[in-house]
Structures are given as C-alpha cells and as structure tokens.
Amino acid sequence: MANPLVGIFRIKELRERIAFTFSMLVVFRIGTFIPIPGVNVRELNAYFDLHHAGGNPIIDYLDFFAGGAFSNFSVFMLGIMPYISMSIIMQLLLIVFPKLKKISQEEGGKKRIQKYTRIGTVGICLVQSLAVTQFARSISQTVENLISISMVSFTFIAVITVTTGTMFLMWIGEQITKRGIGNGISLLIFAGIVARLPTAIWELGTLVQLGEINPVFVAVVVVMFVAVVSLVVFEQQGQRKIPVNYAKRIVGRRMYGGAPNAFIPFKINPSGVIPVIFASSILTFPLQIASMIGADVAWMAAVSRALSPHGALHNIFYVLLIVFFAYFYTQVTLNPVEISKQIRENGGSIPGIRSERIEEYLTKILNRIVLPGALYLAGIAVLPSFIQYLFGFPHSIAYLMGGTALLIMVGVDLDTMSQIESFLKMHHHEGLTKKGRIRGRNL
C-alpha cells in the first residue's frame, strides 16, 4: 500500500495548495512579532514578564487566541476576531431584515453582503483599536518610556496599523480558502493556538521541576486530554442518516431517480466548531473593551471583573451562547423547509412519513440531534476552568487541555484532512486512513 503522504506530494495542485497555505501561515506568524510603531518592545516584554503570574485573565485569554500577538502589541494583535464578530452580526441581520436577505439571494448578492461585512469589520476594528490605545496609556503610567512618541501620534498610528493588520489577516484567510487548503479563517485561529504549544509545554515542565504541580496530576490531565480528543473526534464524525426514496423519472431517453440507499446525513454537530468560535468572539468583544478602559470607568471595571474568563458568570454566558449559535447556525445551513422542498421537487419521499409532514419530521430530528451536540460542545468548552480549579494548572496549559482551543484544533484538523482526502480520491489515490476515507459514524 502506497504511503498517503507520498501521494500528497505527487499531486501538483495539492502540493501547490499546501505550500501556499504554509507560506501564508508563516506570514501570519511573522506579523505577530512586528510591534506597533512607537512601542518600546523591551519595556513591554519586561512589563508582561513581571505581571505574568498574576496578570489580567482577560488579557491572557486574548493573548492566547491571538498566538501571542496581543502581548507583543503587534500589528496583528486583534487577530481575526473582529471579522468573525461582524460575520455573526451580518448573519443575524439577514434574519431580522427580509430585504437584506433578499439582496443576498440575488445575482451577485453574496458579494454585496461580503462587502458590507468588510466595511463593518473596519468599524469594529476602529473601536477595538481605540480600546487598545487606552490600555497602552494605562500601562505607560506605570512603565516609563513604554511609548516613545506622543500619545496623540501613537493613538492615530495604532488605530490605523492595527485595523490594517486585521484587514490584511482577513485577506490572507480568504486567499487560503481560495488558493490553499482548508478554511483560511479557521486555520489562522488554529495556527495561533498551535504556536502556543511549545511555550505551554515548557512552562508545565518547569512547574513540575519546581514542585508546584504534582506529576500525578499531570498524568491524570494527559489521560483526560487523550480521552477528550477521542470523544471530540467521535462527536464530530457522528451522524444520523435519514433514508430518502426517489421515484424513477424518464427525461428524453435517460432515466433519473430510483437511486438505492439514498439518504440525508445529519451530523450530531452540524455546525462543527462554529458555535464555539462565534461564542468566543461575542464574549471577547465586550470583554476587551471593558478590560482596556475599565481602569478609567468604574462600571466597566466591574463588568470586566464579573465576566472574567475564569469566573462562573463567564462560563454561564459561554454555555448559553454556544447552545444558541449551535441552533442558529444549523437553521441557517440546514433549513428543514428548504430540504423538504427539494425532496418533494425531485420526487422524493421519506419512508413512513407523509409528504406534507417531511418538514415537521426533519425539524424534530434536527432538534433532537443539535441539543446534545451543543451541550457536549459547551461541556468541553468550559473544561479548562475545572482543570485550573481542581489541579491548579496555569491558564496556558488549561486552555490547551480542553475548551475552545481543543475544539478548534480537532475541528480544523478534521476539516483540512477531509479536503486533502478529497483531492487524493479525485486523483485516484488512497485516502489518509486505512479505509481510504474519513468515515462518519452512524447514530
């Protein structure tokens, strides 16, 4: 049996796509170390090294998912989250305003909606970048020479630079999706998380050597990590097959329909890691604003403390948002009304279900599937809080042992592997697995 990795590099198109994706991710990682003009990097690093142990948990949270770009005050410090936030807002607007939805369904409508999303992203970046300058100003009050230029000049330069950085990341993500392999936006988040792995492992090893963490706890958490990864893979691949029978039709001299074993595959988690990314983005936006300027506004400081990523209130909102977006995104991508309409128009039927009740039946099945899948996602998403509480692990380790980071890493990896496998099968090569395909599990 041929080695599938060898097969990947034998296909010119796939080889070029992987090389392009890798080169774009390298550009992203280089950008995370390029600071905003006017920032004294040495003083900044000294400040974060000093406040690392007892630092702001919100800043730690933002820095983790930005791949370290936030603590570097880099041009990519906002990451891709502003674009994701605006995408969520636009999806909600399409539901609330029928006229906007009608525009999206017209010829060229998707490009117009994408244009509106980009414009909205600029607005969100401007607000968040202004909050960043406030945060820098608060640090400069305790750290001399942190800002080497006037505050007015720094504010203007930082707003323009950081906004441009996010828009450039958005362009990179679109180019990866178009010319590379995998979903570009998801891969950028994936790359930022994976980049933190070496530092987190080194920090864990140091704490074990110093005796601050019991090695038995490390072994227990590693076993938990392997178990959770296995469960995530199982859950991501699980699906419910709805059998559909199509009547035979004769068009001209050809016969259509009557396909044996036809079915509609409903995954137990149809939206993948999208609910987790959406929930993180929605919570990150107000948290960042509150944390950045909370020192000057009392009620914002209170909001920042109440919604701390390690707090109970944050986890409650996190769970509720994940469940909401799981249902919301499923209804957008798997609309029972549209599916039932297509089945009837193509002469199909579901065994034991009357034609006029197909929509009701599909809605019932989706509701039964999505709820346990959403709760499962939510349970894994809040796992880092329990690891920190029970075992005293630092946040950099706990975030990787479960939660958003783990779900994104597994979900993006499975999606990218599926696309690579599709290329291999299209060029008559064996798949990445022994069975030749990444199979879903029937429920």
Side-chain angles (χ1 to χ4, degrees):
M1 183 176 65
N3 190 329
L5 294 178
V6 175
I8 289 175
F9 291 98
R10 284 179 178 174
I11 302 172
K12 182 180 178 182
E13 181 184 4
L14 182 57
R15 185 173 66 246
E16 290 176 349
R17 284 180 172 270
I18 292 176
F20 179 81
T21 301
F22 181 77
S23 63
M24 289 294 99
L25 293 179
V26 169
V27 171
F28 162 60
R29 288 306 303 159
I30 292 174
T32 59
F33 295 97
I34 301 176
I36 299 172
V39 174
N40 189 321
V41 178
R42 182 177 299 177
E43 295 294 337
L44 182 68
N45 291 336
Y47 172 81
F48 279 109
D49 289 341
L50 182 64
H51 293 78
H52 178 71
N56 189 326
I58 297 174
I59 302 302
D60 295 338
Y61 183 81
L62 294 171
D63 190 48
F64 179 84
F65 289 100
F70 196 92
S71 61
N72 292 332
F73 268 49
S74 80
V75 294
F76 293 158
M77 69 182 302
L78 293 183
I80 199 66
M81 286 303 181
Y83 173 71
I84 297 174
S85 300
M86 190 59 217
S87 298
I88 301 168
I89 294 171
M90 186 56 67
Q91 291 290 340
L92 292 172
L93 291 176
L94 288 174
I95 296 175
V96 175
F97 298 103
K99 186 176 181 180
L100 195 60
K101 184 177 181 180
K102 185 178 179 181
I103 292 175
S104 68
Q105 295 172 344
E106 296 174 354
E107 185 177 355
K110 289 185 177 180
K111 290 185 178 179
R112 289 183 63 183
I113 296 300
Q114 184 67 15
K115 180 181 178 181
Y116 298 153
T117 304
R118 289 170 180 162
I119 294 172
T121 302
V122 173
I124 292 177
C125 286
L126 291 174
V127 174
Q128 288 187 304
S129 57
L130 281 172
V132 166
T133 61
Q134 288 293 105
F135 179 59
R137 186 174 67 83
S138 65
I139 295 178
S140 64
Q141 293 175 357
T142 57
V143 180
E144 294 183 2
N145 303 321
L146 178 65
I147 308 299
S148 59
I149 58 179
S150 68
M151 199 62 206
V152 174
S153 300
F154 174 76
T155 300
F156 177 77
I157 293 173
V159 168
I160 298 299
T161 304
V162 173
T163 301
T164 304
T166 296
M167 300 307 293
F168 181 66
L169 279 183
M170 185 180 70
W171 179 82
I172 287 179
E174 292 175 350
Q175 292 304 306
I176 291 176
T177 303
K178 181 180 178 181
R179 301 170 55 189
I181 197 77
N183 183 286
I185 302 299
S186 298
L187 279 171
L188 289 175
I189 302 173
F190 175 86
I193 294 171
V194 171
R196 306 294 287 176
L197 275 171
T199 303
I201 294 173
W202 178 267
E203 184 178 353
L204 179 62
T206 303
L207 292 175
V208 171
Q209 288 182 349
L210 295 174
E212 295 184 19
I213 294 181
N214 193 324
V216 177
F217 289 168
V218 175
V220 171
V221 172
V222 169
V223 172
M224 288 175 57
F225 175 77
V226 174
V228 170
V229 170
S230 302
L231 289 173
V232 170
V233 173
F234 180 86
E235 188 262 353
Q236 294 280 26
Q237 297 298 97
Q239 62 183 16
R240 169 76 179 271
K241 294 182 178 180
I242 309 297
V244 181
N245 295 331
Y246 288 98
K248 294 182 179 179
R249 296 179 300 164
I250 298 178
V251 180
R253 296 184 178 181
R254 302 188 66 178
M255 180 177 293
Y256 296 89
N261 303 322
F263 61 88
I264 302 173
F266 282 164
K267 287 188 175 183
I268 187 174
N269 181 25
S271 51
V273 297
I274 295 297
V276 179
I277 296 176
F278 279 12
S280 297
S281 180
I282 289 295
L283 277 177
T284 297
F285 180 68
L287 276 176
Q288 184 177 3
I289 303 300
S291 178
M292 298 301 101
I293 62 179
D296 300 325
V297 184
W299 69 270
M300 282 196 174
V303 170
S304 178
R305 290 191 298 270
L307 293 179
S308 170
H310 307 326
L313 191 60
H314 178 277
N315 287 327
I316 291 173
F317 277 116
Y318 198 17
V319 169
L320 293 176
L321 284 173
I322 289 174
V323 174
F324 168 76
F325 282 120
Y327 275 96
F328 169 75
Y329 197 79
T330 300
Q331 288 297 320
V332 171
T333 56
L334 294 175
N335 191 331
V337 177
E338 295 296 330
I339 295 175
S340 57
K341 180 181 178 181
Q342 291 177 7
I343 291 175
R344 284 191 290 264
E345 288 178 350
N346 289 279
S349 63
I350 298 177
I353 306 298
R354 297 173 60 180
S355 178
E356 62 271 16
R357 300 193 63 183
I358 291 178
E359 178 186 339
E360 179 185 346
Y361 174 74
L362 293 179
T363 302
K364 182 179 179 180
I365 293 295
L366 277 176
N367 289 337
R368 287 182 174 180
I369 290 176
V370 173
L371 181 59
L375 293 176
Y376 185 77
L377 280 178
I380 296 176
V382 299
L383 186 60
S385 297
F386 290 99
I387 292 178
Q388 285 183 284
Y389 178 77
L390 294 175
F391 302 106
F393 274 45
H395 63 86
S396 59
I397 301 296
Y399 286 152
L400 291 170
M401 292 298 178
T404 309
L406 181 61
L407 290 169
I408 291 174
M409 285 192 295
V410 175
V412 174
D413 180 64
L414 289 174
D415 178 62
T416 306
M417 286 177 63
S418 297
Q419 290 196 30
I420 292 175
E421 189 167 82
S422 297
F423 272 96
L424 291 173
K425 299 295 288 184
M426 185 172 62
H427 290 81
H428 308 291
H429 286 264
E430 294 182 350
L432 295 173
T433 61
K434 292 182 179 180
K435 297 292 184 181
R437 59 193 177 101
I438 300 175
R439 301 191 303 172
R441 297 180 179 274
N442 300 330
L443 301 176

